[in-house]
């Protein structure tokens, strides 16, 4: 276990906790107080740590992913389980009871209009509706965002998702697929948000800056 | 003040706090314990509340934006001040001292390669470098993200930013511009992240789901 800790850079106490919680299978006992851990243990340990530390998954959700990785699921199923587990923190609240409100209706209209395969039970639907509600709460602002206003954005999101999925090409191992899903959903998100803000700065400069030549340093 | 509170849905105690902090100019005194607040007060108050509640700006940063809005700045300058104030929470840390590391070098390469106007002092540079460092910390994952891998994403971010900036067309009033900058930077961000995750679910279904006809409900 000391070697497993050294190679994974995860503290022994943390490894013991993961073992107790069933996130990591026990090593093969070789002698009293000695167990052998395989390369597979190391890779599972790194995945567990990444899901908890970067994905902010609960122990229970992490266990769901690890169970999926251990079962003979195909690529689509492994991806699906990991993807759904990672949505959980974003979808803070259950949908409001009763009739769907305007935000929920606009969410469905957008998905239908795009022809997207998003399951009825996907937590993303409520997350999007929540985002629309938050935009609507700023009622002093002239524009309302609904299916129509979001469709051009959705088309660019579709192109971005194609770049994302291209990165799964060639991955066959279920641990690799789960790791990559973590990178693509959680870790790339702030990077892409920053790229958009940079592009906003650039675009604002192009459109509105006077004396752009000076900005460029050309005279 | 009671009417201002009613119309803005901001508590009187909060309005008093904003007045004390200089975020809102005093109303015109009309009698003892009476002051008149104009339509402009109401709009400034809503902007202050939105910047603090949704933009998570500090009182000091909110004051910067309000000072900018009150001065005869042009559209580009107003946008710039608001945009920079809103970056602050994301850029958590100062750049590491000494030589720029690989993440900082890749950030500069990406910006240069895109031909983007992003000022040398823009906090977005360090925010992007931080994101790249966080991706690199998952060293078990095969891909490293650098300028080359991010360029296709940056091109889609540029298209997204053009959609964003189109929404400023026709806005001349500085309070309107600052409000819209808040919407475009902060409030749309989770909505766009959700659209990307939905598009990932769709794209994964297209590429990997067997029996897609069943998913569709067509037989």
């Amino acid at each position: 276990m000391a070697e497993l800790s050294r190679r994974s850079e995860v503290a022994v106490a943390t490894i013991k906790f993961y073992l107790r919680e069933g996130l990591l299978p026990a090593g093969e006992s070789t002698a009293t107080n000695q167990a052998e851990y395989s390369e597979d243990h190391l890779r599972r340990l790194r995945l567990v740590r990444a899901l908890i530390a970067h994905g902010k998954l609960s122990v229970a959700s992490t266990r769901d992913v690890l169970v999926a990785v251990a079962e003979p699921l195909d690529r689509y199923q492994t991806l699906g389980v990991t993807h759904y587990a990672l949505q959980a923190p974003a979808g803070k609240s259950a949908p409001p009871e009763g009739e769907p409100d305007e935000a929920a209706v606009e969410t469905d209209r957008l998905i239908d209009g795009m022809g997207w395969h998003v399951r009825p039970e996907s937590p993303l639907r409520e997350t999007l509706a929540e985002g629309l509600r938050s935009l609507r709460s700023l009622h002093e602002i002239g524009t309302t965002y609904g299916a129509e206003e979001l469709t051009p954005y959705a088309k660019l999101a579709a192109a971005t998702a194609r770049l994302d999925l291209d990165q799964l090409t060639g991955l066959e191992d279920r641990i690799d697929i789960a790791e990559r899903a973590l990178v693509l959903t959680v870790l790339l998100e702030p990077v892409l948000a920053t790229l958009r803000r940079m592009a906003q700065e650039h675009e604002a400069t192009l459109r509105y800056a006077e004396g752009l030549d000076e900005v460029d340093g050309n005279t």
Side-chain angles (χ1 to χ4, degrees), chain A:
Chain A
M1 191 180 292
E3 199 199 329
L4 189 64
S5 168
R6 191 183 51 73
R7 290 188 58 194
S8 63
E9 297 173 26
V10 177
V12 168
T14 308
I15 297 177
K16 285 184 175 166
F17 171 73
Y18 292 164
L19 283 165
R20 268 202 313 278
E21 291 287 338
L23 298 176
L24 208 61
E28 192 127 339
S29 291
T30 51
T32 319
N33 278 330
Q34 284 276 337
E36 201 157 280
Y37 295 93
S38 63
E39 204 58 31
D40 199 61
H41 277 99
L42 179 63
R43 297 178 61 228
R44 280 177 65 112
L45 174 56
R46 283 178 172 158
L47 177 60
V48 167
R49 200 250 329 249
L51 289 170
I52 291 176
H54 295 284
K56 312 280 180 228
L57 286 197
S58 65
V59 166
S61 300
T62 305
R63 199 183 288 118
D64 288 347
V65 174
L66 269 286
V67 166
V69 165
E71 279 174 9
L73 298 180
D74 66 20
R75 167 200 292 260
Y76 179 58
Q77 291 164 322
T78 308
L79 195 57
V81 171
T82 311
H83 207 240
Y84 271 43
L86 290 169
Q87 309 307 337
K92 296 148 213 148
S93 49
E97 304 219 351
E99 287 291 296
D101 63 0
E102 217 178 320
V105 169
E106 289 297 308
T107 297
D108 289 346
R109 277 189 54 211
L110 177 75
I111 293 170
D112 292 347
M114 291 296 296
W116 275 352
H117 294 285
V118 177
R119 292 182 205 186
E121 71 273 21
S122 173
L124 292 170
R125 288 175 180 265
E126 178 50 23
T127 307
L128 186 62
E130 265 299 312
L132 293 182
R133 273 177 218 123
S134 155
L135 280 168
R136 275 150 196 263
S137 73
L138 275 180
H139 47 78
E140 56 268 39
I141 284 154
T143 314
T144 333
Y145 290 89
E148 200 182 319
E149 291 76 17
L150 290 183
T151 296
Y153 285 111
K155 288 180 182 166
L156 292 168
T160 307
R162 285 192 286 274
L163 292 178
D164 294 334
L165 270 282
D166 286 350
Q167 295 168 53
L168 290 171
T169 308
L171 297 185
E172 294 297 339
D173 180 88
R174 289 192 292 274
I175 293 185
D176 288 342
I177 292 172
E179 272 179 1
R180 193 56 65 96
L182 172 69
V183 169
L184 292 174
T185 43
V186 175
L187 291 178
L188 266 185
E189 217 152 74
V191 169
L192 300 187
T194 306
L195 289 179
R196 171 168 167 259
R197 291 198 186 196
M198 278 188 175
Q200 289 179 339
E201 180 174 339
H202 167 66
E203 191 65 25
T205 307
L206 283 193
R207 294 193 190 193
Y208 301 125
E210 290 174 30
L212 187 55
D213 287 350
E214 289 165 43
V215 174
D216 266 341
N218 313 326
T219 37

